Amino acid sequence: MEIETTPPVGPTSTPASKPELPQILQYPSTPPRLITQGAEALLYRSTYLLPTIPCALKYRPPKPYRHPILDLRLTKHRILSEARVLVKCRREGVPVPAVYALDETSGWLMIEWIDGEVVRIRLNEWLKRRRDNGVAEGVDDAELRGLMQTVGSAVGRMHGVGVVHGDLTTSNLMLRPKNLVNVNGNREGATEINVLDGEVVIIDFGLASQSIQDEDRAVDLYVLERAFGSTHPRAASLFKEVLSAYGTSFKGANGVLKKLEDVRMRGRKRSMLG
């Protein structure tokens, strides 16, 4: 659901070197459009059942460097694992995309298309606007505080159902506007003024797992904290708002926040040692 479109990256020697696409991508109701490509999967935008229902289709192509049997087993495991996590979160009220369909043998997972933009883009837009207007840090930042609290609450609810994300960054948090004009995500004529206003939806559970260990949850928070520090340093000072909302939304937060201090200490030692 990342809106930045990237061209396909892969073998360019001959058409025969490209992996054969699954049938759902060869004969879809709407021609799929490649949105982005990661190390393990390609993300397409298509439709589900009706041309008016957009969906995201995640496809894990075969890896030629892996043994075919091992590759098939890994693909099946990862598709099913991601789907189970999404279904569990959705059932428990965690803001994640709904699962529409899957074929673990062919290596694809079809989920709900989330309108809006990733938090990274919206937050950078907001920070740039304030910088251009000469607004100092900490002044009139209620909008940013509200976003941080919304993020903390979403993460707390996810951890509360026994799921850890594994790659919690602002690129894997979608901000779905409260006022939408159409399913294409166009905000023309929308009444919203605050670009940070909306529902935070957690996406990309490719590295997620089911765990109730405080250590795993603390690592999730540490990764998110580092993401804010490196990608949005002007907003990093308000990460305490994330932790505050996390503590309110998750009953077991006290143990996780204590473990977070240990994780931070290990991270600082690792940084000093290089």
Side-chain angles (χ1 to χ4, degrees):
M1 276 132 298
E2 166 70 70
I3 65 165
E4 297 176 351
T5 304
T6 57
V9 178
T12 57
S13 53
T14 62
S17 65
K18 296 181 180 179
E20 182 180 353
L21 294 176
Q23 186 174 7
I24 194 170
L25 287 176
Q26 296 177 17
Y27 306 101
S29 58
T30 301
R33 177 165 60 91
L34 181 63
I35 301 300
T36 188
Q37 177 172 353
E40 290 287 326
L42 302 114
L43 183 69
Y44 293 87
R45 175 172 175 146
S46 187
T47 56
Y48 173 64
L49 296 182
L50 298 174
T52 55
I53 304 178
C55 73
L57 196 145
K58 186 174 185 178
Y59 172 53
R60 292 179 176 271
K63 303 297 184 293
Y65 54 83
R66 282 202 292 246
H67 189 282
I69 296 178
L70 175 61
D71 184 57
L72 182 60
R73 287 178 179 174
L74 287 173
T75 298
K76 284 183 176 181
H77 171 74
R78 289 169 180 172
I79 291 290
L80 291 173
S81 177
E82 183 170 0
R84 290 188 183 108
V85 165
L86 285 169
V87 169
K88 181 177 183 178
C89 286
R90 186 81 175 188
R91 184 175 61 241
E92 299 296 333
V94 181
V96 302
V99 175
Y100 288 159
L102 64 85
D103 185 340
E104 70 276 16
T105 302
S106 298
W108 59 263
L109 172 67
M110 183 182 288
I111 59 176
E112 176 188 7
W113 178 268
I114 304 298
D115 287 298
E117 295 173 316
V118 293
V119 168
R120 173 178 55 80
I121 292 176
R122 288 288 194 89
L123 183 51
N124 283 339
E125 178 185 342
W126 186 85
L127 292 170
K128 181 179 183 301
R129 188 178 300 175
R130 284 170 58 88
R131 185 171 61 250
D132 293 344
N133 292 334
V135 181
E137 291 185 39
V139 177
D140 296 330
D141 58 359
E143 297 173 358
L144 177 57
R145 291 178 183 273
L147 172 65
M148 302 293 255
Q149 290 167 2
T150 305
V151 169
S153 177
V155 176
R157 290 158 65 186
M158 178 183 68
H159 284 177
V161 302
V163 171
V164 293
H165 188 276
D167 188 21
L168 208 51
T169 69
T170 52
S171 291
N172 288 331
L173 298 171
M174 289 290 295
L175 193 58
R176 177 160 51 190
K178 293 181 179 178
N179 299 295
L180 289 172
V181 177
N182 54 44
V183 296
N184 295 321
N186 296 328
R187 289 185 283 154
E188 298 176 2
T191 58
E192 66 167 341
I193 298 175
N194 176 13
V195 297
L196 300 184
D197 190 25
E199 178 191 13
V200 170
V201 181
I202 308 172
I203 62 171
D204 196 356
F205 282 76
L207 297 177
S209 60
Q210 299 189 46
S211 172
I212 58 173
Q213 299 300 316
D214 287 347
E215 172 80 13
D216 297 333
R217 291 163 170 162
V219 170
D220 245 6
L221 290 177
Y222 181 69
V223 170
L224 182 60
E225 183 178 39
R226 291 295 298 268
F228 270 100
S230 59
T231 311
H232 319 284
R234 288 170 60 89
S237 60
L238 290 180
F239 190 76
K240 60 181 180 291
E241 299 290 344
V242 173
L243 299 182
S244 175
Y246 177 85
T248 303
S249 61
F250 175 38
K251 292 182 180 180
N254 289 337
V256 176
L257 295 178
K258 289 180 181 178
K259 184 65 68 173
L260 176 60
E261 292 297 328
D262 297 337
V263 175
R264 283 169 171 164
M265 186 66 68
R266 294 202 301 268
R268 282 194 286 268
K269 288 181 178 178
R270 193 175 298 114
S271 298
M272 289 187 294
L273 294 175

